[in-house]
């Protein structure tokens, strides 16, 4: 089972802010020092664009809804 | 003396006038973001993998952005409390959400999460983590599935606890329970260190969490890993000699 983490901001956050943060995050995740630190806790550093992150989130929601239905996991 | 005082006053007034003009102009000039500390609201307790990950990145981002990035832990069911704290904050880029794998929460909390989710705009990016099963007994996924397929249901009672209710590990636990047909009671914990202690005290017999919590225990064999279903597990923790999917002969 693969888990992922990301960063989100409220709607209507200025695009410049998102772009600036995304650029900084990409640079940080590309640092070998960071990759090494994250690797020690079992995390693979992999940056994405905001569009890719949203697509992943949307696809995973559908996937997990299907898993819950097929496995018969009760909804609480 | 009096003349000097007047001159100083006049000069001072001129400076004040200039300062007032600058202040008047300031709102029109767009300030560069970030001009004050940024807050990452984390839906997990301290000490877990997500917390460590967030703090590593926050430290580096602080250097990159020349502004402090502060991590605030706000554990709670499904990360909903943390999410709400963010979406009710101003959309100015100074309050951000550390998003866990939200889809399981979304699928299980369909009435709550979509409205929370809709409060967010795009995520930025993220790290990928892999979780696995571990326990003090060797209950492999394949073994358990075989029992289920053979119509036999194990009667022993196992409990296993996951990281935080409605986070991604709980649907994983539910899925494990569903596939194996084992009589398992799922008990949520808010942070990883507490689960490790509970496992060692035999309060619970299985846990689902990230591998990082147990290398030392695995090394000293106070805990054992159940079968692992990913291909290259060993590259993270080679010292633990964790079995790979191939070595475990897990086929499904």
């Amino acid at each position: 089972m693969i888990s992922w983490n990301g960063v989100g901001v409220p709607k209507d956050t200025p695009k410049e802010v998102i772009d600036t943060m995304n650029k900084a995050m990409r640079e940080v995740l590309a640092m070998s020092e960071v990759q090494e630190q994250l690797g020690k806790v079992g995390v693979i550093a992999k940056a994405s664009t905001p569009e890719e992150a949203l697509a992943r989130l949307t696809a995973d929601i559908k996937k997990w809804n299907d898993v819950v239905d097929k496995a018969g996991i009760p909804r609480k | 003396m009096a003349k000097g005082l007047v001159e100083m006053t006049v000069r001072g007034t001129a400076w004040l006038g200039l300062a007032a003009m600058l202040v008047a102009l300031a709102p029109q000039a767009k300030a560069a973001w970030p001009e004050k500390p940024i807050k990452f609201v984390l839906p997990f307790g301290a000490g877990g993998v997500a917390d460590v990950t967030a703090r590593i990145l926050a430290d580096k981002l602080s250097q990159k952005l020349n502004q402090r990035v502060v991590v605030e832990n706000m554990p709670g069911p499904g990360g909903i409390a943390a999410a709400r704290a963010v979406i009710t904050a101003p959309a100015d880029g100074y309050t951000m959400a550390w998003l866990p794998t939200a889809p399981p929460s979304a699928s299980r909390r369909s009435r709550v999460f979509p409205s929370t989710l809709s409060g967010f705009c795009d995520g930025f990016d993220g790290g990928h983590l892999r979780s696995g099963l571990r326990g003090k007994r060797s209950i492999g996924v394949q073994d358990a599935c075989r029992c289920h397929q053979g119509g036999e249901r194990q009667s022993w009672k196992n409990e296993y606890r996951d990281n935080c209710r409605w986070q991604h590990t709980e649907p994983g636990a539910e899925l494990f329970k569903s596939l194996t047909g084992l009589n398992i009671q799922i008990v949520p914990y808010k942070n990883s260190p507490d689960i490790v202690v509970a496992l060692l005290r035999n309060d619970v017999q299985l846990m689902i969490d990230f591998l990082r919590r147990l290398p030392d225990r695995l090394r000293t064999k106070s805990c054992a890993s159940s079968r692992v279903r990913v291909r290259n597990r060993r590259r993270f923790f080679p010292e633990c000699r964790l079995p790979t999917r191939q070595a475990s002969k897990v086929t499904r």
Side-chain angles (χ1 to χ4, degrees):
Chain A
M1 187 171 178
I2 296 177
S3 171
W4 51 265
N5 284 182
V7 178
V9 290
K11 268 185 174 176
D12 303 325
T13 297
K15 187 174 183 302
E16 311 87 75
V17 170
I18 295 175
D19 290 344
T20 304
M21 189 63 172
N22 185 255
K23 181 173 179 289
M25 189 72 95
R26 283 172 168 275
E27 291 171 357
V28 164
L29 287 172
M31 295 167 70
S32 58
E33 177 190 353
V34 170
Q35 292 183 0
E36 185 182 339
Q37 286 180 316
L38 294 180
K40 288 178 180 174
V41 290
V43 175
I44 302 170
K46 182 182 176 185
S48 67
T49 64
E51 293 75 22
E52 288 168 343
L54 191 61
R56 172 76 186 254
L57 185 67
T58 308
D60 275 10
I61 288 174
K62 182 181 182 312
K63 182 179 81 174
W64 279 101
N65 269 309
D66 290 347
V67 168
V68 168
D69 290 341
K70 288 179 182 176
I73 297 172
R75 292 177 182 268
K76 296 178 182 177
Chain B
M1 186 72 181
K3 185 182 176 184
L5 179 62
V6 170
E7 281 181 353
M8 283 178 68
T9 304
V10 170
R11 192 174 296 168
T13 304
W15 278 109
L16 283 174
L18 179 60
M21 191 168 72
L22 287 173
V23 169
L25 287 174
Q28 296 172 9
K30 200 165 191 175
W33 180 90
E35 57 179 354
K36 62 180 183 180
I38 302 162
K39 186 165 68 177
F40 269 179
V41 181
L42 188 78
F44 298 101
V49 172
D51 182 62
V52 173
T53 303
R55 289 177 191 280
I56 289 172
L57 296 185
D59 179 51
K60 296 300 177 187
L61 286 169
S62 298
Q63 297 170 24
K64 193 66 82 176
L65 296 168
N66 290 319
Q67 194 58 258
R68 284 188 66 203
V69 178
V70 182
V71 175
E72 183 177 316
N73 300 89
M74 197 179 289
I80 292 170
R84 283 187 172 152
V86 174
I87 62 176
T88 53
D92 55 8
Y94 292 104
T95 307
M96 300 191 175
W98 186 263
L99 295 174
T101 308
S105 307
S107 62
R108 299 298 301 281
R109 286 285 191 185
S110 57
R111 283 179 300 179
V112 176
F113 200 82
S115 62
T116 307
L117 181 65
S118 66
F120 289 101
C121 69
D122 303 334
F124 289 124
D125 45 45
H128 291 242
L129 308 95
R130 294 166 189 272
S131 62
L133 301 169
R134 290 173 302 282
K136 293 170 76 175
R137 299 179 191 170
S138 178
I139 303 175
V141 172
Q142 190 183 37
D143 286 348
C145 288
R146 191 181 301 137
C147 291
H148 181 55
Q149 289 167 354
E152 302 170 19
R153 297 243 172 163
Q154 295 290 344
S155 58
W156 70 72
K157 179 177 179 180
N158 287 305
E159 294 181 2
Y160 64 111
R161 306 188 179 195
D162 69 7
N163 199 343
C164 185
R165 197 159 189 83
W166 307 119
Q167 300 295 2
H168 82 283
T169 45
E170 185 174 11
E174 290 279 10
L175 192 58
F176 179 74
K177 179 179 179 178
S178 170
L179 287 172
T180 60
L182 293 172
N183 182 12
I184 292 172
Q185 180 185 354
I186 300 171
V187 184
Y189 269 57
K190 284 187 177 179
N191 62 67
S192 300
D194 286 354
I195 315 176
V196 175
V197 171
L199 185 70
L200 295 173
R201 286 196 317 206
N202 207 32
D203 293 344
V204 293
Q205 286 72 50
L206 277 171
M207 64 179 283
I208 291 185
D209 201 351
F210 296 106
L211 281 169
R212 186 59 219 168
R213 309 313 313 170
L214 284 181
D216 291 339
R217 300 296 178 184
L218 293 171
R219 199 161 32 230
T220 58
K221 297 186 177 177
S222 57
C223 292
S225 168
S226 63
R227 292 181 178 181
V228 177
R229 299 186 66 187
V230 295
R231 195 169 297 165
N232 299 312
R233 178 76 72 190
R234 286 178 184 171
R235 73 192 179 98
F236 282 133
F237 310 113
E239 73 276 19
C240 298
R241 298 180 181 280
L242 296 172
T244 62
R245 179 165 53 189
Q246 187 178 10
S248 300
K249 298 179 181 176
V250 173
T251 56
R252 54 172 291 181

